[in-house]
Amino acid sequence: MAPSALKERLVGCGGQVPAPSAFSIGHRGAALLFPEHTKESYVAAARMGAGLIECDVTFTKDKELVCRHSQCDLHTTTNILVTPLASKCTTPFAPAADGAPATAKCCTSDVTLAEFRTLTGKMDGADAAATSAEAYLAGTAPFRTDLYAASGATGTLLTHAESIDLIRSLGAKFTPELKAPAVAMPFDGLTQAAYAQQLIDEYKAAGVPAEDVWAQSFRLDDVLYWVRAEPRFANQAVYLDGRYDVDAFNHTAPSTYAPTMRQLYEGGVRIVAPPLWMLLAPDGDGAMAPSVYARAARAAGLNLITWTLERSGSPPAGWYFQTVADLVRTDGDVLVALDVLARQVKVLGVFSDWPATVTYYANCVGLA
């Protein structure tokens, strides 16, 4: 890290005992080193001081809510392909052959909750060149590790209700994401609205107050449903802004695309969460600064959360820092970006695959 007042301050905090911070959000738990959305990953995130921990929520064949990043990721995040349940997958495993990659697609909606409970979590990844299911499952990204997902230390899968009990016992709060279904809705009578309501109902059943929950969705209609049906929970509902995938959307001119920031606020949205790069831009002096998107959101009265730190490997690269790629070349530069997000963009929190970094920073600058 280049010499700076920020570096001096961060080095000076080396002797601190960090406290948990709501600014530090465990993205899928602590997914850099632990199988995502497992008991082990959530415990690790809490030990690193994540004040909020995420359960991505989807449903099984019998319409029970479980924690998975995607409805159809069991083939890359669990051992399903080497179990008897492999035959129930939407697309059973097919080995790489004649230049074509290995394929598989296994969904939570392919199995019942009882069957889901027989699976174990692994580090997300797959080897597209594999000629066996075992080799396919071994495709962990090189910047992650299988150290905590090896035999005898596999990941314990959780239902959404179980995640609520666990996260509460760890002293953290909740940021569940309602995942977009990969199956046609209604699914066996389950409508999208009923699905969104089921997520909230499980917090109510557990006696969790609305102010401890930051429910999220990439589907604006889900957030607006909560605004109408669950206004207390909607106060902290998070619209995950995925409009970077829309060709007509320009994050450097967000007021030219509907819904605008003002329209989002007037519709009841209070928190917007885009990826890191949409909130950062180089200024005229070659430093990082808030983007046009960030300034427009704050001007409209919206609060901001962002994602995801520690997801690009080391040194940082690629998608998450694309607007400031020339300014984020080292791990130290990531801390500078984090400081800009906290002090200038004024985000409420930062998702991280290794929450210890954000927790350390938050404690050091008084955000714990």
Side-chain angles (χ1 to χ4, degrees):
M1 189 174 187
S4 65
L6 174 62
K7 180 177 181 177
E8 291 179 10
R9 183 163 190 176
L10 294 175
V11 170
C13 293
Q16 70 179 354
V17 179
S21 172
F23 187 78
S24 178
I25 307 173
H27 182 240
R28 314 184 199 181
L32 184 64
L33 296 183
F34 291 84
E36 63 185 48
H37 295 306
T38 62
K39 175 182 178 181
E40 293 77 8
S41 191
Y42 293 165
V43 170
R47 287 177 176 172
M48 290 183 223
L52 274 65
I53 297 176
E54 178 188 47
C55 166
D56 288 333
V57 178
T58 186
F59 53 85
T60 60
K61 185 176 183 178
D62 46 353
K63 297 173 286 187
E64 298 291 339
L65 301 186
V66 295
C67 299
R68 287 290 89 201
H69 176 65
S70 166
Q71 188 164 51
C72 295
D73 71 2
L74 294 182
H75 54 291
T76 64
T77 66
T78 77
N79 66 335
I80 191 170
L81 293 179
V82 291
T83 76
L85 294 176
S87 62
K88 295 195 170 188
C89 290
T90 297
T91 304
F93 174 75
D98 300 324
T103 57
K105 182 179 180 181
C106 305
C107 307
T108 58
S109 50
D110 293 332
V111 297
T112 65
L113 177 58
E115 291 168 333
F116 176 84
R117 290 185 185 279
T118 69
L119 302 174
T120 55
K122 73 174 195 71
M123 296 301 288
D124 184 22
D127 182 357
T131 57
S132 70
E134 290 80 3
Y136 183 83
L137 295 177
T140 303
F143 63 88
R144 298 192 177 116
T145 179
D146 287 313
L147 178 64
Y148 302 106
S151 178
T154 50
T156 306
L157 302 190
L158 297 169
T159 67
H160 177 233
E162 289 168 344
S163 80
I164 294 172
D165 290 342
L166 174 63
I167 292 168
R168 178 164 49 188
S169 75
L170 295 170
K173 297 181 181 180
F174 314 89
T175 182
E177 180 189 337
L178 192 75
K179 301 304 295 187
V183 294
M185 299 292 277
F187 176 78
D188 190 25
L190 180 68
T191 66
Q192 184 67 31
Y195 173 39
Q197 186 63 51
Q198 188 176 352
L199 180 147
I200 299 299
D201 285 346
E202 294 201 349
Y203 288 96
K204 289 180 170 182
V208 176
E211 56 267 27
D212 288 352
V213 181
W214 283 258
Q216 319 165 69
S217 180
F218 276 100
R219 293 182 76 256
L220 180 57
D221 284 348
D222 292 335
V223 178
L224 297 179
Y225 170 81
W226 292 324
V227 169
R228 295 189 303 272
E230 294 288 349
R232 291 181 61 245
F233 284 88
N235 286 336
Q236 294 183 158
V238 181
Y239 171 43
L240 295 161
D241 195 346
R243 291 180 292 174
Y244 50 81
D245 276 339
V246 178
D247 289 340
F249 182 71
N250 180 355
H251 88 283
T252 66
S255 62
T256 65
Y257 188 87
T260 65
M261 299 298 185
R262 175 57 60 185
Q263 288 169 332
L264 288 172
Y265 185 87
E266 290 174 349
V269 177
R270 292 295 177 265
I271 305 174
V272 176
L276 296 166
W277 62 265
M278 286 176 66
L279 297 178
L280 297 171
D283 66 13
D285 298 321
M288 275 181 277
S291 67
V292 172
Y293 178 104
R295 296 197 302 271
R298 295 307 303 253
L302 294 166
N303 285 309
L304 292 161
I305 289 174
T306 194
W307 44 276
T308 305
L309 214 67
E310 308 283 14
R311 198 162 179 82
S312 299
S314 182
W319 192 84
Y320 288 92
F321 293 102
Q322 59 187 276
T323 51
V324 287
D326 291 339
L327 301 175
V328 181
R329 296 184 179 276
T330 69
D331 293 336
D333 294 335
V334 172
L335 291 170
V336 175
L338 182 58
D339 191 58
V340 173
L341 290 165
R343 293 181 178 277
Q344 298 183 46
V345 178
K346 301 186 184 301
V347 297
L348 297 178
V350 177
F351 279 89
S352 176
D353 278 10
W354 193 247
T357 301
V358 180
T359 301
Y360 182 98
Y361 170 86
N363 277 260
C364 195
V365 302
L367 291 175

